[in-house]
Amino acid sequence: MAAEDETLTPSHSGRFPAADNDKDHAKDDGIALPAHVAGSGTLDRLVDTARDYARAAASENTLKAYARDWAHFSRWCRLKGTEPLPPAPQMIGLYLADMAAPRTKIAPLSASTIERRLSGLGWNYAQRGFTLDRKDRHIATVLAGIKRKHARPPVQKEAILREDILAMVATLPFDLRGLRDRAILLLGYAGGLRRSEIVSLDMHKDDTPDSGGWIQIMEQGALLTLNAKTGWREVEIGRGSSDRTCPVHALEQWLHFARIDFGPVFTRTARDGTRALEARLSDKHIARLIKRCVLAAGIRADLPEKDRLTLFSGHSLRAGLASSAEVDERHVQKHLGHASVEMTRRYQRRRDRFRVNLTKAAGL
């Protein structure tokens, strides 16, 4: 039986799409023997091992983004009659300016996207044995001018609040696929999890090479051990007040009927929805699931459908927990794995901003 359709959305929105024969990133990873050392079977195997560890230093999505950044810049250079190596601060400054104010009908990129692409170039140059001096005046002053002229406050995704998540899960059927998607939404919401953290979960430690963590189901709830962006952390998800809204119960239902006791927790299902497959879900499925349920539940029905789809994303689950949990901020900060309470507050879409009134405390 064919698997359910998991149509992928285009991953590259840059000006010059990467050509199939552009393998610079794959060929030149910067890990090799010194020129004066003769190769041998043992050393060659160690080089391969070191390359594997180097690739593991950043997430797969980050490496893909860096590769796209390099491909975009390389094509830009060739169109201008130059080469990307060695780094030329003057040309990089012009590249930044072209992205901010292109002389074509292509829309300019945001200041944050331009800065991210510059970071990608710095990483790529480092892998090729070069140093990109971002403080060089040709780069620093152009970037500072772009940020001063074009920078805008970050656009935050709408939080999915308690009443929203309940309405969303109510739209799901009780077939196998519905059980899976219900567990994804409730677990992601109660855990304040990222999309990548949800789909990378395994049943046990070391079940699969690409695991990003594992779960332990206990009497009082579920303990998630995650290898997240900020390092390893544990997330405790307690049982809810009723089976209808309990994320742990939803998870148990999915695991039982899908007959999953090893490997990825959230997998694809057969097209007819009668059985779970072995293939791990893509994190893109969660983004599509959230948007689909937002529309089905009629959330923010006062807005056109296009605007509603733009407002919500995977991060809406994390923002929803941070905004809805009426506990001390320190508990939310630990739960989300934030290094500072300031980062946690960015996720809180509704809170008592003037609970502490320093104006009155200062005697005014």
Side-chain angles (χ1 to χ4, degrees):
M1 181 66 64
E4 63 181 306
D5 185 17
E6 296 286 350
T7 306
L8 299 180
T9 55
S11 60
H12 178 48
S13 58
R15 218 166 266 117
F16 309 109
D20 292 339
N21 61 354
D22 190 342
K23 303 296 183 183
D24 290 345
H25 175 72
K27 289 181 179 179
D28 191 358
D29 55 19
I31 306 297
L33 288 172
H36 63 278
V37 176
S40 66
T42 301
L43 288 177
D44 289 343
R45 284 192 294 272
L46 285 176
V47 169
D48 291 338
T49 302
R51 286 174 174 168
D52 290 338
Y53 280 125
R55 284 191 289 270
S59 71
E60 182 180 354
N61 287 339
T62 299
L63 293 176
K64 287 180 179 178
Y66 287 159
R68 291 195 298 268
D69 291 337
W70 185 253
H72 186 272
F73 178 61
S74 297
R75 276 150 183 72
W76 183 89
C77 286
R78 288 161 191 162
L79 285 174
K80 305 304 178 187
T82 185
E83 292 295 328
L85 294 172
Q90 299 90 334
M91 293 304 298
I92 293 175
L94 297 180
Y95 173 63
L96 301 181
D98 191 30
M99 288 190 290
R103 295 184 177 276
T104 64
K105 295 182 179 179
I106 298 174
L109 300 182
S110 67
S112 60
T113 300
I114 292 172
E115 187 167 22
R116 189 201 61 75
R117 286 203 171 170
L118 180 60
S119 298
L121 292 186
W123 185 91
N124 276 283
Y125 276 123
Q127 303 313 301
R128 290 161 173 78
F130 296 95
T131 299
L132 177 61
D133 183 9
R134 292 186 52 160
K135 295 183 179 180
D136 185 284
R137 63 186 180 88
H138 295 94
I139 298 175
T141 55
V142 172
L143 181 61
I146 291 172
K147 294 168 69 174
R148 182 178 178 85
K149 188 172 182 180
H150 300 297
R152 298 289 184 272
V155 178
Q156 294 183 318
K157 295 298 182 180
E158 191 95 351
I160 293 174
L161 304 177
R162 176 188 177 277
E163 56 272 19
D164 299 328
I165 195 70
L166 294 182
M168 290 168 65
V169 297
T171 67
L172 296 171
F174 285 90
D175 59 6
L176 191 61
R177 198 172 301 166
L179 292 176
R180 179 198 64 191
D181 290 344
R182 184 175 285 102
I184 287 174
L185 290 178
L186 290 174
L187 197 74
Y189 182 82
L193 304 178
R194 301 175 177 89
R195 296 184 311 176
S196 59
E197 292 171 344
I198 297 173
V199 299
S200 66
L201 281 171
D202 277 1
M203 282 297 299
H204 313 96
K205 182 180 179 182
D206 299 327
D207 272 0
T208 64
D210 60 341
S211 170
W214 62 93
I215 62 172
Q216 295 172 267
I217 299 180
M218 308 174 183
E219 182 178 350
Q220 292 182 308
L223 177 64
L224 277 56
T225 304
L226 302 173
N227 186 9
K229 290 175 64 176
T230 54
W232 286 98
R233 82 176 197 274
E234 291 184 340
V235 176
E236 300 171 359
I237 300 180
R239 292 187 181 272
S241 55
S242 71
D243 287 348
R244 183 175 66 90
T245 62
C246 177
V248 183
H249 177 74
L251 176 63
E252 290 173 325
Q253 290 288 98
W254 157 247
L255 295 175
H256 172 73
F257 287 102
R259 300 179 180 180
I260 293 176
D261 56 11
F262 181 85
V265 170
F266 294 112
T267 67
R268 298 170 65 176
T269 62
R271 190 177 295 277
D272 61 3
T274 59
R275 60 189 175 87
L277 303 179
E278 295 182 358
R280 189 187 301 275
L281 271 182
S282 163
D283 64 344
K284 293 182 177 63
H285 171 79
I286 298 178
R288 293 192 294 267
L289 171 64
I290 290 172
K291 293 178 184 297
R292 185 172 71 246
C293 290
V294 162
L295 293 180
I299 299 172
R300 292 303 307 271
D302 56 307
L303 298 175
E305 180 176 311
K306 180 180 179 181
D307 294 340
R308 293 162 67 194
L309 291 175
T310 303
L311 277 178
F312 295 93
S313 73
H315 256 55
S316 296
L317 295 177
R318 284 170 66 80
L321 177 77
S323 303
S324 300
E326 297 180 356
V327 295
D328 190 286
E329 284 180 335
R330 292 172 297 176
H331 297 298
V332 180
Q333 176 187 348
K334 179 179 181 296
H335 199 74
L336 297 183
H338 288 155
S340 69
V341 72
E342 290 301 321
M343 177 58 71
T344 301
R345 287 173 180 166
R346 295 184 189 179
Y347 283 77
Q348 294 174 325
R349 304 296 189 262
R350 63 178 189 186
R351 60 187 173 92
D352 187 357
R353 295 182 178 274
F354 299 100
R355 180 171 57 85
V356 178
N357 191 330
L358 293 181
T359 303
K360 291 183 178 179
L364 299 180

